[in-house]
Amino acid sequence: MAEVKLLQKNITESPAKKKRHGFTRKCASLVQEQRARIYVLRRCATMLLCWYIQGDD
């Protein structure tokens, strides 16, 4: 019985709510991707800087 109510609730959601939820999910995905890219760039820059500093010896 609870499953039927849950399914009915999902069906009765307005399209605007679904669209906003999709927009939020897409923004969150883009933010996560950018954070990952910044993390990789930071690690690469740190590694290159360490190599540069050690090369001065």
Side-chain angles (χ1 to χ4, degrees), residues 22-23 27 36 41 47 54:
F23 178 74
C27 285
L41 286 173
M47 185 172 51
Q54 287 183 357

Side-chain angles (χ1 to χ4, degrees), residues 28-44:
S29 175
L30 289 173
V31 167
Q32 185 177 10
E33 184 178 333
Q34 291 301 318
R35 287 184 69 189
R37 287 182 181 184
I38 290 171
Y39 172 78
V40 170
L41 286 173
R42 190 177 67 224
R43 292 288 305 257
C44 290

Side-chain angles (χ1 to χ4, degrees), residues 1 5 10 14 22 28 35-36 38 42-44 49 51 55-56:
M1 191 71 171
K5 287 182 180 180
N10 288 339
S14 67
R35 287 184 69 189
I38 290 171
R42 190 177 67 224
R43 292 288 305 257
C44 290
L49 186 61
W51 282 350
D56 284 346

